[in-house]
Amino acid sequence: MKKVLTRQQHLDLYYYMRLNRAVEDTMVKLFRQNKIVGGLYSSLGQEAISVGTAYALEKKDWLAPMIRNIGALLVKGVPPRDIFMQHMAKYDSPTKGKDGTSHFGDLENLHIVSPISMLGDLIPVMAGVAIAGRYLGQKIVSMTWIGDGGSSTGVFHEGLNFAATQKAPFVLILENNLWAYSTPVRRQVPLENLADRAKAYGISSYIVDGNDVADVYSTAREAVDRARAGEGPILIEAKTFRRLGHAQHDPAEYVPKEMRAYWEARDPVERHEKFLMSEKLLDAKGKAEIEKKIETLLAAEREFAENSPFPPPELAEQGVYCTGDDCHKIAPVWERPKSEVMPPKSSVAAVWAVEGFGRGKVSGGANAPIHFGDTPANEPVEESKPVSRAAPKSSTKKLVKAPAPKPAAGRKARR
Amino acid sequence: MTMAGTNGSPVTFLEAIRQAMFEEMERDPAVVVLGEDVGVYGGAFKTSEGLLERFGWERVIDTPISESAIIGAACGMSYLGLRPICEMQFIDFIVCAFNQITNFVAKGHYLWDAPAPMVIRGPSGGGVHGGPFHSANPEMYFVHTPGLKVIYPSTPYDAKGLLKSAVRDNNPVLFFEHKFLYRRIKEELPAEDYTVPIGKAIVRREGRHLTILSYAAMMHTSLEAADALAKEGIEAEVIDLRTLLPLDEETILQSVKKTNKCLVVHEDTRTGGIAGEIAAILCEKAFDDLDGPLLRVTSLDTPVPYAPTLEEAFLPNAKKIFTAARELARY
């Protein structure tokens, strides 16, 4: 059942959408002042999706944004200055200027995985996050986003299929904004509803109006709850429209004017504002307060960002490897007894059970045939020539050795 | 319970790898294994034999045929503190996940302080008539990728010790297992836990007339050639590189400064192989010490052919190494 929103939730969604838009408006100004080092990508008109979906997550949950999910980052707790500094390649940015845009993450606190430009890669990564969380007993959900265009990549299929076979607590938001750079969705996907892709993986899906933040949120919340409860991955198609070009350089003249006008009339921020006003959840005074709050916040955040220097050139050669102990601080957080995943409790019969047909046998054994590489008959196994090597370290720690493989059962080894 | 290795009996290269995974999983519940057919079947080469039975379905995961998903998921798992070991059923298939490895996994620490402690391992190399898609040596694609470590051992002792180091390393490590060696060599292993450091080459045979640098199966072929050379009075120093990234320049330079001649032997194809990189290093750092050209004995610049006669022509062998070394020794 879809969740009915409280007044505070409605106002939070409104605030984050306004913040999302204001952050991007500020960056357009910075771009025009030549202060953005690389490209600038806009989520104008898609704010309800980033905000509504991320708002459905709990603090402990994990997300991985795409380039048009600034709103999701803001909801998760990223300060606007980090987003400004990323775009301006500043030293104080999360990546210290090594990457731009929304390409940054925070493993330790906010549980954000950085996106990369190769679309779809995050799907198996976030499936892995979800599986690891379940393994550790954390009851987390992971979420990432993909576009109509990105849903045609091979790794979209590999990732979602794998997540489905594992019943991973994972929610995938498919933002169908109708354009992949200059190519319309019809030339990319021969489907009316991209949510139909879920059928191929035997998983549940939803279709939402991506410009209705309350609908996006309540649907996402339901999906997140179901994933957390163990129902497996869920796909949500959010139907929307990319109002600007692929990036700032692109005037998107390939988009029919009428199409743009149609969607401009369905602006998600104005729409939610109208709803709040009509329901008396917000008045002109309240709106002005929110605007003031955002203006003050962003002025300070922008000032901080502008004052941050570029990174020193010597940084270019640093940090390729994690060396020493303090670059890896991630210890697994166990929220279930470790003994459950350690022998003897973890031990199982290593056979497949096939419904209606019983169970297979244990395969293998010490001399079981192996794929190429088996020893030919005229070449007996012999000890390698003595080789010099460092003396082994002595250790007092008790070491459980691997049990020798069982002799091959019921068949002769290929020799 | 029957224990392997504890009674001093020698174990195969294959068994050394299995023991390393087994012992690491026993030591640390953060270690998990995923790949195609690694669970019930125990792997196409039986390297993960017995792991599922002991550690269960959550820690030994049979995956769909989806190399990008295997690598991506392992990377995601590492973000929560797990230490996944991914098996590529044949290392040839690692290129199906090339983007995931080179763009996502390898760049994470540099770009956003996200170390990905994970191991990608699998059977590689030719000489077993596996044909063009089951015999590859794709190590150099990855040696050219900053952020990865690349290991290619040649003995059971090193395979076990280096695989343990790889699991405990905080970076993504590629671990190539030459399948020709799987059941062809045996070695007695210490009963206790040990590791072999990543990034350290080792002198397998000392000599003074020239240095032969090699790794994996070709290390054994190089030793065979060195025996033959010795009969002609040429004492070759044979060095096993063991790790290709980072390369142990110190050990290489030390030897070449002593012998003044260097021959590189690898089963990888010629163009873009590690020999070229070593040649550049020697020109930069030991030019005045060289008394002859750097020579290389490598596979041909072709796909790995299937027919035994063709594959034999493709691969380096002791005779080719012997001939090249003798030519180099004349300088």
Side-chain angles (χ1 to χ4, degrees):
Chain A
M1 233 192 32
K2 285 194 181 173
K3 206 174 146 62
V4 179
L5 277 70
T6 64
R7 174 174 184 263
Q8 190 54 49
Q9 287 173 325
H10 273 303
L11 289 176
D12 281 354
L13 292 171
Y14 178 67
Y15 170 77
Y16 282 117
M17 281 201 296
R18 290 295 304 257
L19 182 62
N20 181 356
R21 186 161 292 184
V23 163
E24 293 192 26
D25 285 347
T26 304
M27 289 200 291
V28 171
K29 287 180 195 136
L30 291 168
F31 185 85
R32 289 179 182 154
Q33 292 171 356
N34 250 344
K35 288 175 180 167
I36 302 264
V37 169
L40 179 62
Y41 303 80
S42 167
S43 73
L44 182 69
Q46 297 177 229
E47 295 92 339
I49 301 168
S50 292
V51 168
T53 51
Y55 193 70
L57 295 174
E58 291 180 17
K59 191 171 184 299
K60 66 180 176 184
D61 292 334
W62 288 68
L63 63 75
M66 279 205 306
I67 204 144
R68 301 188 207 282
N69 297 119
I70 299 288
L73 294 175
L74 294 167
V75 171
K76 199 80 169 92
V78 171
R81 68 176 64 179
D82 283 357
I83 296 161
F84 295 152
M85 290 190 295
Q86 276 291 119
H87 285 80
M88 298 164 85
K90 295 302 185 84
Y91 190 34
D92 297 301
S93 77
T95 63
K96 301 186 176 70
K98 286 176 171 174
D99 202 351
T101 64
S102 59
H103 291 188
F104 64 98
D106 177 359
L107 297 179
E108 283 174 66
N109 301 309
L110 296 179
H111 295 171
I112 295 170
V113 173
S114 173
I116 68 168
S117 304
M118 290 70 194
L119 301 176
D121 275 13
L122 289 168
I123 295 172
V125 171
M126 297 312 279
V129 165
I131 293 164
R134 178 175 62 194
Y135 175 65
L136 295 166
Q138 293 178 357
K139 299 193 170 54
I140 56 159
V141 171
S142 69
M143 179 183 280
T144 189
W145 292 259
I146 192 76
D148 42 301
S151 78
S152 298
T153 60
V155 74
F156 172 96
H157 165 69
E158 284 200 15
L160 200 47
N161 183 64
F162 176 60
T165 61
Q166 286 288 317
K167 283 196 138 225
F170 167 60
V171 177
L172 179 61
I173 314 297
L174 201 167
E175 286 188 75
N176 182 359
N177 69 13
L178 305 176
W179 293 90
Y181 210 141
S182 73
T183 308
V185 65
R186 282 297 154 267
R187 284 297 285 268
Q188 306 163 46
V189 189
L191 292 172
E192 178 60 32
N193 295 313
L194 273 59
D196 288 352
R197 289 210 189 276
K199 289 180 189 163
Y201 311 109
I203 62 171
S204 297
S205 66
Y206 295 89
I207 296 173
V208 293
D209 177 348
N211 288 27
D212 178 347
V213 74
D215 190 24
V216 170
Y217 165 70
S218 51
T219 304
R221 183 58 202 266
E222 187 175 304
V224 165
D225 288 348
R226 288 177 62 188
R228 203 187 305 280
E231 286 193 38
I234 294 176
L235 177 70
I236 300 175
E237 179 190 2
K239 292 188 186 291
T240 187
F241 174 72
R242 196 193 71 207
R243 295 248 292 270
L244 296 178
H246 176 64
Q248 275 287 318
H249 67 276
D250 171 20
E253 285 146 340
Y254 44 80
V255 176
K257 251 184 7 210
E258 296 75 9
M259 187 184 199
R260 201 187 303 276
Y262 173 90
W263 285 95
E264 277 170 2
R266 284 155 184 78
D267 182 83
V269 182
E270 281 171 25
R271 195 164 150 189
H272 192 53
E273 187 179 299
K274 213 177 273 178
F275 168 80
L276 294 178
M277 295 285 192
S278 70
E279 295 290 311
K280 308 247 181 302
L281 298 171
L282 181 74
D283 56 17
K285 186 168 162 272
K287 183 185 166 190
E289 278 168 14
I290 288 170
E291 282 167 354
K292 183 74 197 157
K293 184 180 165 188
I294 289 172
E295 196 189 318
T296 311
L297 171 70
L298 293 193
E301 296 287 288
R302 177 180 170 168
E303 195 189 341
F304 184 95
E306 293 209 42
N307 287 331
S308 175
F310 281 129
E314 58 268 24
L315 184 71
E317 218 179 349
Q318 292 168 17
V320 173
Y321 291 96
C322 170
T323 49
D325 290 332
D326 53 346
C327 63
H328 186 270
K329 304 183 196 85
I330 309 156
V333 178
W334 290 91
E335 291 181 13
R336 70 191 279 199
K338 276 189 209 179
S339 63
E340 286 180 10
V341 297
M342 290 298 275
K345 252 192 167 173
S346 62
S347 300
V348 296
V351 295
W352 293 122
V354 181
E355 213 180 320
F357 295 94
R359 294 151 81 84
K361 279 188 181 169
V362 175
S363 28
N367 297 314
I370 56 175
H371 227 106
F372 312 107
D374 220 348
T375 310
N378 59 353
E379 223 177 308
V381 169
E382 55 182 85
E383 290 187 33
S384 61
K385 297 195 178 82
V387 286
S388 62
R389 63 183 189 222
K393 280 188 300 184
S394 64
S395 162
T396 49
K397 197 167 171 282
K398 187 173 168 286
L399 187 73
V400 181
K401 306 294 292 186
K406 287 177 285 295
R411 64 181 169 203
K412 268 205 168 131
R414 187 159 58 87
R415 286 265 154 188
Chain B
M1 194 185 295
T2 322
M3 302 291 182
T6 46
N7 56 359
S9 63
V11 302
T12 60
F13 193 78
L14 181 66
E15 175 61 11
I17 290 161
R18 196 182 75 90
Q19 284 183 11
M21 289 198 282
F22 185 99
E23 288 172 22
E24 287 304 284
M25 293 182 82
E26 195 77 43
R27 182 185 62 80
D28 183 357
V31 180
V32 298
V33 168
L34 64 163
E36 295 152 18
D37 307 295
V38 295
V40 167
Y41 193 65
F45 289 86
K46 303 296 174 192
T47 36
S48 50
E49 164 93 22
L51 296 188
L52 171 63
E53 190 176 18
R54 186 157 178 87
F55 300 104
W57 303 100
E58 284 188 277
R59 295 184 66 186
V60 183
I61 302 170
D62 277 314
T63 69
I65 303 173
S66 300
E67 283 78 13
S68 287
I70 294 168
I71 303 299
C75 183
M77 289 174 176
S78 79
Y79 291 160
L80 276 80
L82 301 191
R83 289 182 176 266
I85 302 172
C86 309
E87 175 170 301
M88 299 285 105
Q89 191 160 85
F90 285 82
I91 210 71
D92 307 61
F93 301 112
I94 196 171
V95 294
C96 299
F98 191 76
N99 171 49
Q100 197 72 266
I101 296 169
T102 58
N103 270 320
F104 199 82
V105 173
K107 291 176 183 173
H109 190 260
Y110 181 78
L111 296 178
W112 59 288
D113 292 331
M118 56 187 278
V119 178
I120 304 166
R121 49 158 289 275
S124 56
V128 298
H129 317 313
F133 306 107
H134 291 78
S135 308
N137 284 295
E139 60 267 28
M140 291 308 287
Y141 297 139
F142 303 99
V143 170
H144 195 61
T145 305
L148 301 177
K149 294 186 179 182
V150 179
I151 296 171
Y152 210 154
S154 72
T155 68
Y157 178 89
D158 279 357
K160 185 172 178 181
L162 279 163
L163 184 50
K164 285 188 170 199
S165 291
V167 171
R168 299 175 197 184
D169 198 280
N170 286 331
N171 299 279
V173 181
L174 271 57
F175 190 88
F176 290 76
E177 301 162 5
H178 203 297
K179 67 175 88 68
F180 185 83
L181 303 177
Y182 268 158
R183 282 186 179 170
R184 281 184 174 81
I185 56 171
K186 277 190 169 187
E187 191 175 7
E188 203 178 295
L189 302 182
E192 67 272 23
D193 185 34
Y194 72 93
T195 58
V196 171
I198 297 171
K200 295 278 177 228
I202 191 166
V203 179
R204 295 289 184 199
R205 177 194 175 108
E206 291 195 13
R208 58 200 165 91
H209 294 125
L210 77 155
T211 298
I212 300 178
L213 302 176
S214 192
Y215 58 96
M218 281 303 136
M219 200 287 294
H220 298 277
T221 316
S222 297
L223 283 175
E224 202 185 316
D227 283 346
L229 288 163
K231 286 177 191 143
E232 299 218 343
I234 300 168
E235 292 298 334
E237 179 143 302
V238 179
I239 292 178
D240 182 355
L241 295 172
R242 302 197 288 191
T243 302
L244 302 180
L245 183 67
L247 198 58
D248 182 359
E249 287 189 15
E250 197 186 325
T251 302
I252 295 171
L253 289 169
Q254 211 168 25
S255 177
V256 173
K257 286 184 179 189
K258 181 177 80 176
T259 64
N260 309 110
K261 288 164 192 171
C262 184
L263 171 70
V264 184
V265 179
H266 58 65
E267 193 187 298
D268 188 10
T269 50
R270 195 171 187 82
T271 304
I274 194 85
E277 186 61 28
I278 291 169
I281 291 167
L282 293 181
C283 283
E284 286 163 359
K285 300 185 178 172
F287 189 72
D288 291 339
D289 296 294
L290 290 174
D291 285 346
L294 179 135
L295 295 187
R296 48 186 170 161
V297 177
T298 69
S299 288
L300 303 178
D301 273 336
T302 67
V304 186
Y306 176 52
T309 48
L310 300 179
E311 191 177 19
E312 200 181 314
F314 167 83
L315 290 171
N317 57 35
K319 193 168 168 240
K320 292 177 190 173
I321 299 168
F322 175 86
T323 308
R326 201 165 52 176
E327 183 192 332
L328 182 57
R330 286 205 195 100
Y331 281 91

